[in-house]
Amino acid sequence: AQQQRNLDNIVSQHPRISGGKKSKKEVCASSDLEVKNTSPMSEQDSGILDVEDEDEDEEVPGAQDLVDFSPVYRCLHIYSVLGARETFENYYRKQRRKQARLVLQPPSNMHETLDGYRKYFNQIVGFFVVEDHILHTTQGLVNRAYIDELWEMALSKTIAALRTHSSYCSDPSLVLDLKNLIVLFADTLQGYGFPVNQLFDMLLEIQDQYSETLLKKWSGVFRNILDLDNYSPIPVANEEVYKKIVGQFPFQDAELEKQQFPKKFPFSEFVPKVYNQIKEFIYACLKFSEDLHLSSTEVDDMIRKSTNLLLTRTLSNCLQNVIKRKNVGLTELVQIIINTTHLEKSCKFLEEFITNITNVLPETVHTTKLYGTTTFKDARHAAEEEIYTNLNQKIDQFLQLADYDWMAMEPGSKASDYLVDLIGFLRSTFAVFTHLPGDVDVHSTMSGKVAQTACMSACKHLSTSLMQLLLEAEVRQLTLGALQQFNLDVEECER
């Protein structure tokens, strides 16, 4: 089956479990179908001699490992002569049913290695290849109905076993290898005329589980990238580095290209890294859909759905966790806003990337859109909210230092120290927004917008808090001097 499909993947990469036996059996299996016309009573015909003939009577090592059918033929002959053929037929079928049940019992640790699965499949293939041979070389010792009934039982037991065992598997590459093995198993048995549609249906179930194991794996990959990022623009010293990064991430900016080296990209390292990992994920999804006899639209649909999950669930969680971390500062948050803007813009390139792989044009009625782009919008909004919350918390810390003497006879000559410090802090904070790198269009307007909203939110919070200071229940009495000092502070804020 493997040679027919020219699948030179897993099975050829892994050494055979049973040394030379398996390949001999395969050779034997292919010859079985040609043996139909030989006399079933002949002791010579053990299903292997046809193969050996090619080797001009040379003794091929391992021939003794193959099945010797002569005892079966001899018994059948003796019983037939004695007129009790039916007794032997019943006995043979009953025994083989029992043996089938044994063969179909999977080992308890089958899910741990690919070899466990391979051994299991080999046993089943072996059983049915033998029965097929008996069917074709004896007149009616077994019949098609009996074999079909056994195959029905085998299918349901195999599928149940695979469902259970594959659900324990958390390694995507093992799930992928298992899928390739099941495809070979199905194709082999289909070659003998057994219906295998149910196996392909079950592979679609395993596909969902494969997607889950991939999402888990990529969750770790994204977390790692975000943890190691320095959240500052990528510096480029020369043309070579510049080209390398533009090769990894679709970014064009005429202004930046004109600038002299050294210069900086507006985004930090995590942008090209995350973008490339999304592409790697798409390739990993594609690997599973190969050989499943799916239409390109189905493959396209599956990849887009999985990629949407990767963006909306996995990447989204990782970004939200970074934004909500305790030690994230304003500069990091501003960098996250810039990064997510660039990633959002790159989604159209990911759409094209999927289209190029599956050859299904986005205009096709059924194509799923990559709505995962909302992930980047959501992350950006969360980062903005965090900036406003952070600022307000800082303002509260300064206000705790406010120490008004509400009974002062005379106002001071200048604004309170705590307020001068607070305004100094806000000034340097907003400088962060205005000194952002990168192209004039996007960043200044974007960080400008965030800065304006942050400024509004900070002023509003400060004025509300000052008002509360004045109206606190503890303040029972006020002098004109104290009010004048307070007024000085409010004027300083306005200024």
Side-chain angles (χ1 to χ4, degrees):
Q2 173 150 17
Q3 278 166 350
Q4 270 176 348
R5 339 180 36 108
N6 200 9
L7 255 185
D8 35 26
N9 46 25
I10 50 144
V11 177
S12 53
Q13 286 164 14
H14 295 270
R16 295 264 183 233
I17 255 215
S18 48
K21 286 186 198 170
K22 176 72 177 75
S23 47
K24 285 273 177 356
K25 262 187 201 158
E26 281 178 348
V27 177
C28 165
S30 59
S31 69
D32 284 350
L33 297 170
E34 294 150 24
V35 186
K36 298 179 193 172
N37 309 331
T38 47
S39 149
M41 303 312 172
S42 129
E43 200 170 319
Q44 292 286 293
D45 174 27
S46 57
I48 57 173
L49 295 182
D50 306 27
V51 184
E52 310 316 340
D53 290 347
E54 296 165 16
D55 293 329
E56 292 168 0
D57 301 328
E58 271 184 45
E59 186 54 42
V60 175
Q64 68 282 359
D65 296 337
L66 291 169
V67 181
D68 175 11
F69 289 94
S70 54
V72 177
Y73 299 142
R74 208 177 299 136
C75 283
L76 180 62
H77 179 61
I78 293 167
Y79 273 90
S80 300
V81 169
L82 294 173
R85 183 185 164 113
E86 203 176 308
T87 313
F88 180 63
E89 280 176 12
N90 291 336
Y91 169 79
Y92 176 86
R93 294 179 191 189
K94 192 174 164 191
Q95 291 303 316
R96 289 296 276 164
R97 270 200 188 89
K98 284 182 186 168
Q99 286 164 21
R101 287 206 165 80
L102 280 178
V103 163
L104 291 165
Q105 206 52 51
S108 57
N109 61 345
M110 182 167 82
H111 57 275
E112 289 170 13
T113 61
L114 192 61
D115 282 343
Y117 286 110
R118 191 185 282 112
K119 213 168 185 174
Y120 180 61
F121 288 141
N122 286 354
Q123 285 177 187
I124 299 170
V125 168
F127 181 90
F128 283 98
V129 164
V130 165
E131 287 311 281
D132 185 77
H133 184 71
I134 291 286
L135 174 73
H136 287 102
T137 55
T138 62
Q139 277 92 34
L141 177 55
V142 298
N143 58 22
R144 196 77 234 177
Y146 150 86
I147 290 188
D148 288 346
E149 178 205 331
L150 272 184
W151 174 241
E152 272 302 304
M153 174 184 81
L155 251 189
S156 63
K157 282 196 184 310
T158 309
I159 286 172
L162 287 172
R163 271 201 190 113
T164 309
H165 283 270
S166 67
S167 64
Y168 296 136
C169 186
S170 56
D171 173 11
S173 56
L174 183 58
V175 181
L176 190 62
D177 284 351
L178 171 61
K179 170 235 132 174
N180 287 330
L181 206 54
I182 295 173
V183 168
L184 270 185
F185 172 69
D187 283 358
T188 303
L189 284 156
Q190 195 166 24
Y192 284 92
F194 292 106
V196 292
N197 287 350
Q198 282 174 286
L199 284 168
F200 282 105
D201 293 343
M202 188 209 51
L203 278 171
L204 294 177
E205 287 173 34
I206 292 184
Q207 186 169 28
D208 293 339
Q209 189 215 326
Y210 175 69
S211 286
E212 284 302 318
T213 59
L214 284 184
L215 291 170
K216 259 201 202 84
K217 179 180 170 182
W218 257 264
S219 172
V221 170
F222 288 146
R223 266 206 310 275
N224 214 10
I225 290 174
L226 296 174
D227 286 349
L228 296 175
D229 201 66
N230 61 6
Y231 295 93
S232 50
I234 305 174
V236 254
N238 54 43
E239 187 68 31
E240 195 184 334
V241 181
Y242 186 86
K243 282 203 168 120
K244 184 178 170 221
I245 290 167
V246 175
Q248 290 171 339
F249 182 74
F251 176 77
Q252 276 176 322
D253 178 11
E255 287 295 312
L256 190 61
E257 275 176 41
K258 280 181 213 152
Q259 283 176 29
Q260 297 294 308
F261 289 103
K263 50 190 173 186
K264 286 178 177 178
F265 278 102
F267 43 81
S268 72
E269 289 275 350
F270 94 59
V271 169
K273 284 183 178 167
V274 164
Y275 181 78
N276 278 313
Q277 282 304 325
I278 297 172
K279 283 166 76 172
E280 287 299 318
F281 176 86
I282 291 169
Y283 277 129
C285 287
L286 182 72
K287 275 189 185 144
F288 195 94
S289 59
E290 287 167 357
D291 311 314
L292 288 192
H293 313 307
L294 296 172
S295 70
S296 50
T297 323
E298 286 170 310
V299 174
D300 186 83
D301 194 49
M302 173 219 108
I303 291 179
R304 285 170 193 269
K305 279 182 179 153
S306 299
T307 309
N308 276 329
L309 271 180
L310 178 78
L311 295 173
T312 54
R313 206 169 79 188
T314 311
L315 182 56
S316 181
N317 283 346
C318 295
L319 285 169
Q320 297 289 348
N321 286 342
V322 170
I323 292 164
K324 294 276 178 275
R325 270 207 301 243
K326 286 281 172 281
N327 56 355
V328 159
L330 287 176
T331 35
E332 282 100 328
L333 288 167
V334 171
Q335 190 61 59
I336 289 173
I337 291 173
I338 291 169
N339 285 359
T340 47
T341 306
H342 282 287
L343 281 170
E344 188 187 340
K345 281 176 151 185
S346 74
C347 279
K348 67 169 188 287
F349 295 100
L350 287 173
E351 289 262 12
E352 282 171 23
F353 178 68
I354 296 175
T355 302
N356 290 340
I357 288 179
T358 60
N359 291 326
V360 176
L361 295 172
E363 297 80 66
T364 316
V365 186
H366 300 298
T367 52
T368 315
K369 286 280 169 278
L370 272 192
Y371 56 78
T373 45
T374 53
T375 293
F376 303 118
K377 279 197 181 75
D378 296 345
R380 202 160 54 247
H381 293 322
E384 287 169 13
E385 285 302 317
E386 201 61 25
I387 287 176
Y388 311 146
T389 313
N390 261 358
L391 273 177
N392 292 349
Q393 283 170 346
K394 278 279 190 278
I395 292 171
D396 291 342
Q397 285 168 8
F398 281 99
L399 283 165
Q400 280 167 1
L401 305 172
D403 187 20
Y404 287 104
D405 174 6
W406 298 115
M407 301 306 290
M409 289 290 85
E410 291 291 319
S413 57
K414 59 183 177 45
S416 308
D417 288 348
Y418 87 91
L419 201 84
V420 173
D421 291 346
L422 168 56
I423 290 170
F425 161 76
L426 289 174
R427 202 170 264 136
S428 64
T429 297
F430 288 113
V432 170
F433 290 93
T434 49
H435 291 129
L436 287 171
D439 69 60
V440 179
D441 304 342
V442 183
H443 297 112
S444 55
T445 55
M446 189 185 64
S447 52
K449 192 173 121 282
V450 176
Q452 280 180 344
T453 318
C455 185
M456 293 277 291
S457 132
C459 294
K460 195 173 172 188
H461 185 70
L462 181 53
S463 71
T464 316
S465 306
L466 285 171
M467 194 68 166
Q468 275 171 338
L469 275 180
L470 200 56
L471 302 178
E472 258 177 2
E474 282 85 78
V475 182
R476 300 288 174 93
Q477 256 181 318
L478 287 166
T479 61
L480 201 56
L483 272 174
Q484 281 170 333
Q485 175 60 47
F486 192 79
N487 195 39
L488 264 182
D489 289 351
V490 177
E491 280 174 355
E492 180 68 16
C493 291
E494 269 179 323
R495 229 157 41 86

